[in-house]
Amino acid sequence: MTHLPGIVVTGASGRMGRMLIRTIVESDRAQLVGCVERPGHDWIGQDVGLAMGGAALDVTATDDPLEAFARAQAVIDFTAPEATLEFATLAAQARLVHVIGTTGMSETQIEALAPAARHAVIVRAGNMSLGVNLLTQLTRKVAAALDREFDIEIIEAHHRHKVDAPSGTALMLGEAAAEGRGVNLADVADRGRDGITGARKEGHIGFSAIRGGDIVGEHDVLFAARGERIVLRHVATDRGVFARGALTAALWGQDKAPGQYDMIDVLGL
C-alpha cells in the first residue's frame, strides 16, 4: 500500500469529510494518511474509523495540518474559505496537490490562492461531479447559441444545513452562462429578489436558492423566451459522486505542473 498516493482529508467529521474518508479507504488507488479537524474537536486524538462508528483505520485525527501534510501527496479540502486559505499556504509549502471543494469563497479569497499555486497544484471547483461539469459545458454552449430574448435562471436546491447561497455550483453555472454570452457575471447577476423589484432586465442571469430537508444537490438552468423554454438539469442523490470526483482530481494532479486547475481540466472536457 505504501506506493499509493497518500491523501489527507480536512474537515474530517463533516458530511463530505466522512464520505471522503470512506471513498479513499475503499479505493485501490490511494491511501488515507491523515485527517484534520479544528482545535478542540471531539475527534482530536481519536482513530477516525472508531470516531465514525466503524472499524479502526490506524489514522488519528489531528489539529496540526502541517504534521498531517508532511506524510501526504494530496489534501482534499471541503471546509470554509478562511481555513482553505490557510491550508493552501501549508499545502504549497509541502508541495501537495490541493483539491478544493470549499464553496462560498469571495473573489478576493480566490485571488489569494494565486501565490500558493506558484508552488503547488490547486484543483478548485464548485462541484466535483462529472455530470455537473458536463452540465457546465452544455450551459456555456446553449447560452452562446441563444440570443438575449432568452432569460437565464439558475435554480438550485440543497439540504437545510447548507450555509451559503447561491451554491458554488450555481455560481459555476452562472459563470458558464455569462461566458457563453460574452459578459461579466458580476454585471448581470440578479440574486434574492424580494418585494417590488420591477421588471426583469434583459440579459440578466437570475439565481434562486431552495433549502430544505436532506436534499443532496439539484441544479436547473432555465432558458426562457416567449413561447418556449429549455431546461438543463442535474440531480445528485448521493454525496459519493463529489467524493469520487475529488479523489480523481487528487490523483490526476500528481504529475502536473504547479498552477490552478478545475474539473474541466481533470476530465479533459
Side-chain angles (χ1 to χ4, degrees):
M1 291 289 289
T2 56
H3 67 286
L4 298 176
I7 312 291
V8 170
V9 174
T10 60
S13 71
R15 290 182 185 82
M16 274 307 304
R18 292 170 185 253
M19 182 60 71
L20 285 163
I21 290 169
R22 295 188 191 99
T23 299
I24 296 165
V25 169
E26 292 170 1
S27 172
D28 60 1
R29 300 182 296 158
Q31 57 181 327
L32 182 70
V33 298
C35 288
V36 176
E37 260 301 343
R38 64 186 181 276
H41 193 279
D42 291 345
W43 280 27
I44 302 302
Q46 290 194 57
D47 183 286
V48 294
L50 297 177
M52 290 171 59
L57 296 176
D58 198 28
V59 175
T60 302
T62 179
D63 58 5
D64 183 352
L66 193 57
E67 180 268 334
F69 291 2
R71 301 190 301 272
Q73 283 72 54
V75 53
I76 303 180
D77 175 16
F78 284 73
T79 55
E82 295 78 10
T84 289
L85 291 178
E86 177 185 347
F87 294 142
T89 299
L90 299 177
Q93 292 174 9
R95 301 300 192 265
L96 304 187
V97 175
H98 187 187
V99 178
I100 300 174
T102 301
T103 59
M105 298 185 74
S106 68
E107 286 301 317
T108 300
Q109 289 168 327
I110 292 170
E111 290 169 2
L113 295 171
R118 289 197 287 268
H119 304 285
V121 172
I122 293 178
V123 181
R124 187 185 66 83
N127 194 298
M128 297 285 174
S129 87
L130 171 60
V132 162
N133 283 279
L134 287 171
L135 177 62
T136 301
Q137 294 290 72
L138 290 170
T139 297
R140 184 179 293 108
K141 289 183 178 181
V142 173
L146 300 176
D147 59 33
R148 286 161 58 95
E149 289 185 4
F150 280 83
D151 298 322
I152 302 176
E153 288 283 318
I154 315 292
I155 305 108
E156 54 101 343
H158 284 87
H159 54 87
R160 67 196 309 268
H161 300 290
K162 187 169 179 60
V163 298
D164 58 306
S167 69
T169 303
L171 292 172
M172 186 169 72
L173 293 168
E175 288 284 1
E179 288 170 11
R181 282 197 165 164
V183 297
N184 186 336
L185 180 61
D187 296 333
V188 297
D190 284 337
R191 304 191 194 182
R193 300 186 187 99
D194 185 34
I196 307 301
T197 61
R200 180 193 177 97
K201 294 181 181 178
E202 185 179 83
H204 276 214
I205 297 173
F207 292 86
S208 297
I210 298 166
R211 297 290 178 266
D214 60 356
I215 301 170
V216 173
E218 300 178 5
H219 293 86
D220 291 332
V221 184
L222 169 67
F223 297 86
R226 186 175 181 181
E228 61 181 329
R229 286 175 289 172
I230 300 167
V231 181
L232 305 178
R233 184 166 216 226
H234 180 270
V235 176
T237 58
D238 177 5
R239 218 168 253 105
V241 300
F242 311 129
R244 291 190 291 274
L247 177 56
T248 296
L251 298 174
W252 175 87
Q254 293 300 307
D255 61 353
K256 300 302 182 292
Q260 295 196 58
Y261 303 89
D262 59 24
M263 285 301 287
I264 301 299
D265 298 312
V266 174
L267 299 170
L269 297 175

